Amino acid sequence: MSTSTTLDGARTGSTPVVLGGTRAALWLFGTVLLGVALYYFIGIDQGATSVFGNDTHVHEFVHDARHFLGFPCH
Amino acid sequence: MERQFIVRGMAVGAIGGLLAFLFARIFAEPQIQKAIDYESGREAAQSLLDKTAGMPVEHEHAEPFSRAFQGNVGIGVGIIAFGIAMGALYAVAYALACGRTGKVRPRTLALLVAGGGFLALYLIPFAKYPANPPAIGHEDTIRERSGLYLLMVGISIVVLVAGTWLGQRLQARFGTWNATLLAVLACAVVLGAVMLVLPSFGELSANVEAYGHHATETPLPLRDAQGRIVYPGFPADTLFAFRFFSVAAQAVLWGTIGLCFAPLAERLLSPRPDTSAAPATA
Ligand SMILES: [Zn+2]
């Protein structure tokens, strides 16, 4: 992260570039993975595809949320 | 900086999920119950028809969770976890958008990114494949329906990101206002074309084979061998209410994310708190 861009942004009242380096990229990548994994288990698992085989506990547990959040079900 | 964004994004996502859950518990659950009652009544009518026709009657399988549990605990955990997931993705999108989306204040950008998330991850896919209550949806087509829904989500994300990029490119030539309008128009045209090309759920081959040509999988009236209606089609009012509340709940979720993240981003991205705005006398 470069200090000069941060201050530039702050001075003009607009948003600065805040990212830089591999560490930041890894944090963002890990966060996306976590978000997508949650999204998958709430919305898709034990419907179209299943990571725990022929079980329906995840599906039935979040069943109402799955319908209500707009995912296809049943 | 990115870690502060991520923690705050997930926190505001959890708050948004909690509010969306309270909304769902009050408004959506009665509609979901009506849909499930319709489904049970229809199954009973179907069994009676099968029995009179001398066909084997399908038996209901045991459910692992009770309705009360699904409608109070399951829906809460599901929606709050969804809120956290959306908050996490939101924080990443916000961090990437910072400094790459023109001259815009941190709190304005917070609302814009939330609006983009609402559109790309929910409302645009909903326009083609709207949310359905229980009783709507054929089990044989779940793979195709999930695939098409996720495809619609993926395309919406790509088109909105591309639209943002296009708007930036046009800004120098047409100014912010006109560049924004042109970029929105381009997104609308592309998304409209995609929606025209993708098949409706009712037109999936398994559905056409079993039920003929229909736009959706919404249950039609059940008829006996003589063609008399023995059980009505899915109630239109229940369907509308369910979908309306579904959109409203997502608006609550994304609205909360944007509005709660805005002041946090403003504070994170300013070098020091704005003391000039504080009142002179306490
Ligand atoms: Zn279902």
Side-chain angles (χ1 to χ4, degrees), chain B residues 116-142:
Chain B
F118 175 61
L119 286 173
L121 287 159
Y122 179 74
L123 198 63
I124 295 169
F126 177 97
K128 176 69 185 177
Y129 301 122
N132 277 323
I136 300 183
H138 301 139
E139 237 160 295
D140 314 336
T141 57
I142 182 65

Side-chain angles (χ1 to χ4, degrees), chain B residues 171-193:
Chain B
Q171 199 257 347
R173 228 174 116 186
F174 298 98
T176 305
W177 179 264
N178 286 328
T180 307
L181 291 182
L182 286 170
V184 168
L185 183 67
C187 287
V189 168
V190 173
L191 288 168

Side-chain angles (χ1 to χ4, degrees), chain A residues 9-33:
Chain A
R11 207 164 39 235
T12 56
S14 59
T15 44
V17 174
V18 293
L19 298 174
T22 338
R23 273 177 69 89
L26 281 175
W27 271 100
L28 293 190
F29 183 69
T31 307
V32 170
L33 275 189

